Amino acid sequence: MEITVTLGARSYPIVLGSGIAAALPARLRTDFPNSMFGLVTNTTLSALYTPLIARWADELDLTIHCMPDGELYKTVETWSAIFDTFIPAKLERSSVIIALGGGVVGDVAGFAAATYMRGIACVQVPTTLLAMVDSSVGGKTAVDHPAGKNLIGAFHQPTLVWIDTAFLDTLPEREYAAGCAELIKYAFIGGPELFDYFAHHGPTLLTHRRKDLLPDAIFRAASVKAGVVARDETETRGERALLNFGHTFAHALEKYFGFGKLLHGEAVWLGMRCAVELGKLLTAIPEETLPHYETMLHIFPRPELDMVPDPADIIEAMRFDKKVSAGTLNIVVPAAPGFSIVKQGVPEETVKAAIAAGLNS
Ligand SMILES: NC(=O)c1ccc[n+]([C@@H]2O[C@H](COP(=O)([O-])OP(=O)(O)OC[C@H]3O[C@@H](n4cnc5c(N)ncnc54)[C@H](O)[C@@H]3O)[C@@H](O)[C@H]2O)c1
């Protein structure tokens, strides 16, 4: 299966299938006949996929850089260490960086590709469900700063995205479920057919990791993202903001609980519940479609929270993020199954009520 992200001369394919990782070198030798390659991965993946990486190294002129695992290491230091491997290996402007990993590796390696010799090609090989449906597509690359997530980065589109769903076989259950939240998110913004598709297949995908269904489900989600990125690459026209469905709440919850306690996808799952509650309060959702939303939102097991936060504290976390100004918020809310809109100037009190309902339902 193949999708094109249409961006003129910078258009690129997303190739998707099960068991296609071994075929990547052949594709790269065709696309970049005389290039050297730099692989960025992390300690967990290099241990799990030693034979695959060895095979890639046999078939390509490959220099390997292994970074530590975890969001904690999504730093300027980790980004800089990549150059300490690639500069002595004499990677040049025609070289290509391959990112093998989840969103953390993808973001750091993508930022290294954006900046190495003022920008070289990057191939994203996502290995988590979140990275397959979200972070590997769209060209947002970044590292964190102690003051906040993704504060240092660049837009740098990949040249190729190679999605092999077989990587998901080794992904821990909790990471898989968290990634499912980002997958299901597309139901709220990808049109009524996708909404029905996920309402129907969501529970099976979540509980059984259905190998036969996964490529198709990821293909549908990645197609929505590819279309949004093509129309609003750098988030200047408003449409890309729709990809943040549930995320205003999610970011505040992550901040409140402390990064690392709640996985990003778990926070998104709770954030989507709050967004639907807000849609109800603003009467943005037609009454007769409410049961469809209930079905969709009950697909997921509720992430376990030590305690349910006071909504006022979540608003405080949003305020710190500058998402609240003069007592109102701009926030993505559902408008009909498969469609969401950015609602401007939502009163803080209404958001508080939505948080209370979303976290307690
Ligand atoms: N660039 C974007 O557009 C964008 C979008 C969303 C999220 N992000 C970023 O993505 C990051 C989160 O990504 P994530 O959820 O993939 O987390 P992650 O990259 O930390 O991966 C989660 C864990 O799973 C392990 N792992 C990865 N693939 C595996 C596999 N196949 N088998 C076994 N273990 C595996 C990783 O080593 C890690 O321990 C955040 O930093 C977030 O900011 C970026």
Side-chain angles (χ1 to χ4, degrees):
M1 281 186 268
E2 195 159 324
I3 307 161
T4 301
V5 182
T6 311
L7 289 167
R10 291 174 299 110
S11 296
Y12 58 92
I14 303 168
V15 179
L16 196 149
S18 178
I20 62 170
L24 180 63
R27 171 70 179 246
L28 293 179
R29 280 200 313 271
T30 308
D31 288 2
F32 309 95
N34 301 309
S35 294
M36 297 166 77
F37 296 87
L39 175 75
V40 179
T41 190
N42 72 17
T43 43
T44 303
L45 285 152
S46 77
L48 279 171
Y49 292 98
T50 310
L52 175 76
I53 294 170
R55 193 167 159 183
W56 286 1
D58 279 347
E59 295 182 45
L60 299 168
D61 183 354
L62 191 71
T63 301
I64 299 167
H65 178 86
C66 190
M67 56 180 262
D69 186 4
E71 181 77 31
L72 201 63
Y73 298 100
K74 194 175 153 182
T75 58
V76 167
E77 289 73 24
T78 304
W79 161 75
S80 171
I82 294 173
F83 307 127
D84 297 340
T85 303
F86 289 168
I87 292 170
K90 301 203 172 3
L91 260 67
E92 49 200 24
R93 290 216 63 193
S94 61
S95 299
V96 181
I97 290 183
I98 305 168
L100 173 71
V104 170
V105 168
D107 279 9
V108 178
F111 187 43
T115 44
Y116 189 68
M117 297 190 172
R118 300 197 178 91
I120 65 171
C122 180
V123 172
Q124 291 281 349
V125 186
T127 60
T128 63
L129 183 52
L130 178 140
M132 290 178 190
V133 297
D134 197 0
S135 59
S136 65
V137 177
K140 281 188 179 175
T141 74
V143 295
D144 299 337
H145 182 272
K149 261 175 73 84
N150 299 325
L151 287 184
I152 303 156
F155 280 100
H156 184 65
Q157 296 294 341
T159 315
L160 171 68
V161 181
W162 196 261
I163 301 179
D164 183 349
T165 56
F167 282 119
L168 300 177
D169 291 348
T170 56
L171 191 66
E173 201 56 54
R174 191 178 167 201
E175 294 287 350
Y176 179 80
C180 270
E182 291 285 3
L183 181 66
I184 302 285
K185 174 189 80 180
Y186 291 96
F188 295 93
I189 59 174
E193 198 200 322
L194 198 61
F195 190 93
D196 288 344
Y197 175 89
F198 280 124
H200 183 66
H201 291 302
T204 322
L205 280 166
L206 183 70
T207 50
H208 303 303
R209 297 193 191 203
R210 283 269 299 277
K211 286 195 177 153
D212 52 333
L213 275 181
L214 261 174
D216 182 48
I218 294 171
F219 176 81
R220 287 167 186 260
S223 299
V224 175
K225 174 130 193 198
V228 171
V229 168
R231 291 186 294 272
D232 186 16
E233 184 184 2
T234 51
E235 216 164 310
T236 45
R237 295 190 181 165
E239 190 178 351
R240 197 161 175 169
L242 295 178
L243 294 170
N244 287 335
F245 181 78
H247 281 60
T248 303
F249 298 103
H251 290 150
L253 285 163
E254 282 179 287
K255 179 157 268 181
Y256 175 85
F257 281 103
F259 289 109
K261 292 239 172 67
L262 201 59
L263 293 181
H264 176 68
E266 292 168 341
V268 170
W269 164 227
L270 288 166
M272 292 195 296
R273 295 177 85 97
C274 297
V276 169
E277 294 298 338
L278 186 61
K280 288 190 206 167
L281 290 169
L282 296 171
T283 58
I285 305 178
E287 183 89 29
E288 68 278 11
T289 64
L290 281 175
H292 300 286
Y293 281 99
E294 295 304 326
T295 310
M296 183 68 75
L297 289 178
H298 284 96
I299 291 173
F300 283 86
R302 238 183 107 74
E304 276 179 35
L305 301 176
D306 294 344
M307 43 83 74
V308 178
D310 182 334
D313 293 336
I314 301 304
I315 295 275
E316 255 332 284
M318 290 175 175
R319 200 187 309 283
F320 186 73
D321 260 356
K322 300 192 182 64
K323 293 223 170 78
V324 183
S325 63
T328 66
L329 279 112
N330 300 338
I331 201 158
V332 186
V333 292
F339 293 108
S340 293
I341 50 170
V342 180
K343 204 86 176 162
Q344 314 271 351
V346 182
E348 204 175 299
E349 285 308 312
T350 316
V351 179
K352 246 187 231 172
I355 295 169
L359 296 184
N360 289 298
S361 60

